[in-house]
Amino acid sequence: MPEGDSIRRAATRLHTVLAGRVLTRSDLRVPRFATADLTGRVTLDVTPRGKHLLTRFEGGLTLHSHLRMDGAWHVFASGEKWRGGPAHEIRAVLGTADHTAVGYRLPVLELIRTAEEDRVVGHLGPDLLGPDWDPDLAAANLVATPERALGEALLDQRNLAGIGNIYKAELCFLAQVTPWTPVGALPESTLPRLAAAAHRLLSANIGDRSGHRNTTGSRRPGQDLFVYGRAHRPCLRCGTPVREAPQDGRPTYWCPRCQRGPTP
């Protein structure tokens, strides 16, 4: 699933080609909104909210999309061949005189009133990359369920919005605890530091358009992430083989030496 930095890059790309321009083509290929026509409307902005995208149009309408595991928005110049998957996977087409934005495999796509956006994103916690970012509120949200495993709490977008499975594993490593450690078992100072680290990591990776993330600061090949995707390979810090096990249906990685706490 895309993480908050990926969604912000997608929003920036869409905003650059759509905002302030009149739609010359509109095609929403989902049954509920198949007859909706946005042609002739000006796109006001494209705003990310956690892992959600809100594309706002004049007249008080918002196109809400969520990529989940496989969805993607691609932007093409006028006349350029579309590449992103077969035609039957296209769920949305928004075109201007110069560019076309094409949404592939979008599991969530709905046209709503802008005034009702809270219905789809109002449940989210503070956005790690948004103007509402509040590390104290994020830490308070996390500790509100002290019996919950840290890895699960970090992925709960109601606590703080933008963390995915990669950052979950990396943040737990930086905190030196396993993802199965109950939130309430952490020292009082850990959660504010963890929230600050999450904000710092996502902010540092916004600019990489390739989607290549680096949480270690190392420029050496294969050493960009501490534990994520490194099962059975040496921990970058201590050399112990990194372990992997599922948590809430997602592959989860940790170093058995550097990270204290319960494991499966």
Side-chain angles (χ1 to χ4, degrees):
M1 181 178 291
E3 317 232 354
D5 50 3
S6 298
I7 299 303
R8 185 156 289 270
R9 282 193 297 271
T12 299
R13 189 166 59 249
L14 291 170
H15 182 87
T16 299
V17 301
L18 295 177
R21 294 168 174 82
V22 176
L23 290 182
T24 58
R25 181 175 182 180
S26 163
D27 187 2
L28 305 183
R29 302 181 184 181
V30 292
R32 184 179 173 189
F33 301 105
T35 60
D37 187 5
L38 299 169
T39 303
R41 294 179 186 262
V42 173
T43 304
L44 302 179
D45 63 80
V46 182
T47 297
R49 184 71 175 87
K51 298 183 182 182
H52 300 252
L53 284 169
L54 302 171
T55 305
R56 301 181 179 119
F57 308 97
E58 64 176 356
L61 292 178
T62 295
L63 186 64
H64 167 231
S65 60
H66 194 297
L67 307 186
R68 290 190 181 166
M69 291 297 293
D70 300 316
W73 279 98
H74 294 278
V75 172
F76 305 99
S78 180
E80 183 181 0
K81 183 179 179 181
W82 297 356
R83 307 172 306 280
H88 72 266
E89 293 183 347
I90 295 174
R91 297 292 177 267
V93 179
L94 301 175
T96 69
D98 301 314
H99 294 89
T100 303
V102 184
Y104 288 86
R105 301 172 299 278
L106 301 175
V108 175
L109 185 72
E110 56 181 338
L111 192 62
I112 61 174
R113 292 288 178 187
T114 302
E116 299 175 352
E117 286 180 356
D118 272 358
R119 178 172 62 81
V120 294
V121 296
H123 65 287
L124 298 175
D127 188 337
L128 278 154
L129 297 176
D132 68 318
W133 171 241
D134 184 338
D136 294 331
L137 177 57
N141 289 343
L142 289 169
V143 80
T145 51
E147 72 285 352
R148 195 172 190 187
L150 177 60
E152 295 178 5
L154 288 172
L155 286 179
D156 190 334
Q157 304 299 294
R158 295 171 297 182
N159 291 330
L160 64 173
I163 291 178
N165 207 35
I166 296 175
Y167 286 117
K168 176 196 83 171
E170 297 296 287
L171 288 165
C172 288
F173 178 85
L174 291 173
Q176 299 183 326
V177 296
T178 68
W180 292 270
T181 302
V183 171
L186 300 172
E188 185 176 346
S189 62
T190 297
L191 291 177
R193 288 192 289 106
L194 205 59
H199 175 68
R200 184 176 66 253
L201 289 180
L202 267 72
S203 297
N205 283 283
I206 290 177
D208 193 331
R209 296 182 180 180
S210 69
H212 181 80
R213 294 181 179 87
N214 188 306
T215 61
T216 66
S218 173
R219 299 299 179 184
R220 300 178 64 180
Q223 295 191 5
D224 48 345
L225 299 174
F226 284 111
V227 290
Y228 184 85
R230 294 184 58 84
H232 312 302
R233 297 168 61 190
C235 169
L236 296 182
R237 182 170 290 169
C238 73
T240 302
V242 171
R243 297 188 62 185
E244 174 191 357
Q247 183 181 41
D248 197 25
R250 298 178 177 90
T252 299
Y253 304 86
W254 79 101
C255 171
R257 183 174 180 181
C258 293
Q259 295 174 253
R260 305 178 304 276
T263 58

